[in-house]
Amino acid sequence: MSNVYVFDHPLIQHKTAMIRKEDTSVKDFRELVREISMLMGYEATRKLPLEEVEITTPICDTKVNMLKGEDIAIVPILRAGLGMVDGMLALVPNAKVGHVGLYRDPETHEPVEYYCKLPNDIDKREIFVVDPMLATGGSAAAAIDFIKARGGKKIIFMCLIAAPEGIEALQKAHPDVDIFIAAKDEKLNENAYIVPGLGDAGDRLYGTK
Ligand code: PRP
Ligand code: URA
């Protein structure tokens, strides 16, 4: 079974509290999502592989460990996942970015696919799938299905707010995928929205609705 990491860092808790508030502006929401993603990314990238390279300091030649930056892919689930990409890229600027487009059918709450474009060598990359919300888990599970169908193997899922139902569903669908969460919430409501949550992440990021 996969590992689930819920962050207890005060900065992450504070910023996550800020994005929940209904009077947080679109501009602030976007900036906070970026900042939280970067803080979470710092820990979620802990196990990234390093390679030994030779460099020259002003004093001498030496061997140092550097990231295999070209081995990373960030895959946001559109739309809301896009808000988490810049924070991750600030940490791993050489990562490639794939996109999976999914929306939840408002009646059935089932994910509907409309786009998928991944790096050709996705099978060789450490993949960070990002989406602010894990509600029923349907979107995350479907996105990871697409990625695996195209050869993706080493996958981590990162979200800001998760419902227990979504965590359970994602673990069941993809027991090999570790899950990083800024906050674990109480439950889903009758519309499959997370309670207390933050509302519709896509609408709050882009000012729609
Ligand atoms: C939201 C969110 C997730 C999904 C989570 O996207 O960003 O992708 O819902 O719900 P689930 O776990 O029940 O599948 P939405 O479908 O609203 O699309 P959007 O990002 O385009 O607004
Ligand atoms: N999608 C969202 O954006 N928010 C929720 O609470 C659930 C699904």
Side-chain angles (χ1 to χ4, degrees):
M1 189 56 73
S2 63
N3 297 305
V4 179
Y5 302 94
V6 183
F7 286 84
D8 60 0
H9 194 289
L11 285 176
I12 294 180
Q13 290 194 41
H14 177 82
K15 289 173 192 291
T16 304
M18 295 287 293
I19 58 172
R20 292 180 186 279
K21 291 171 70 173
E22 63 177 351
D23 57 356
T24 295
S25 69
V26 171
K27 174 179 174 289
D28 289 347
F29 190 92
R30 229 178 255 154
E31 285 173 9
L32 286 160
V33 167
R34 179 183 181 281
E35 289 167 9
I36 299 166
S37 308
M38 188 159 54
L39 291 167
M40 289 178 71
Y42 176 74
E43 188 58 33
T45 51
R46 175 176 288 279
K47 293 183 185 158
L48 282 179
L50 294 167
E51 63 183 343
E52 195 174 69
V53 293
E54 287 194 22
I55 62 160
T56 308
T57 76
I59 308 297
C60 65
D61 294 341
T62 187
K63 288 181 180 163
V64 292
N65 286 326
M66 296 188 86
L67 270 184
K68 291 179 168 180
E70 69 278 10
D71 288 349
I72 298 164
I74 301 163
V75 181
I77 302 177
L78 306 181
R79 284 177 299 170
L82 283 175
M84 298 177 68
V85 173
D86 280 356
M88 288 295 289
L89 281 177
L91 300 175
V92 283
N94 292 326
K96 285 196 179 171
V97 181
H99 296 86
V100 175
L102 291 172
Y103 70 88
R104 273 198 340 176
D105 182 286
E107 302 299 327
T108 65
H109 307 136
E110 290 293 320
V112 182
E113 183 201 359
Y114 60 89
Y115 191 74
C116 185
K117 180 81 180 171
L118 301 173
N120 288 337
D121 54 355
I122 194 76
D123 54 316
K124 298 185 187 65
R125 290 180 178 265
E126 306 273 341
I127 305 163
F128 293 83
V129 179
V130 295
D131 189 331
M133 310 303 276
L134 182 64
T136 64
S139 302
I144 294 169
D145 283 341
F146 296 141
I147 295 167
K148 286 185 174 173
R150 286 161 179 80
K153 292 179 192 71
K154 294 169 280 180
I155 304 173
I156 281 172
F157 180 75
M158 268 177 62
C159 68
L160 305 191
I161 298 185
E165 295 89 330
I167 298 171
E168 195 182 328
L170 184 55
Q171 283 193 300
K172 199 168 165 197
H174 295 289
D176 55 316
V177 173
D178 285 348
I179 305 173
F180 289 79
I181 300 166
K184 181 175 170 182
D185 274 13
E186 199 184 310
K187 60 177 181 184
L188 296 178
N189 69 14
E190 60 284 3
N191 297 318
Y193 270 77
I194 301 175
V195 180
L198 51 71
D200 186 300
D203 286 344
R204 298 208 53 190
L205 263 174
Y206 298 112
T208 45
K209 209 162 194 172

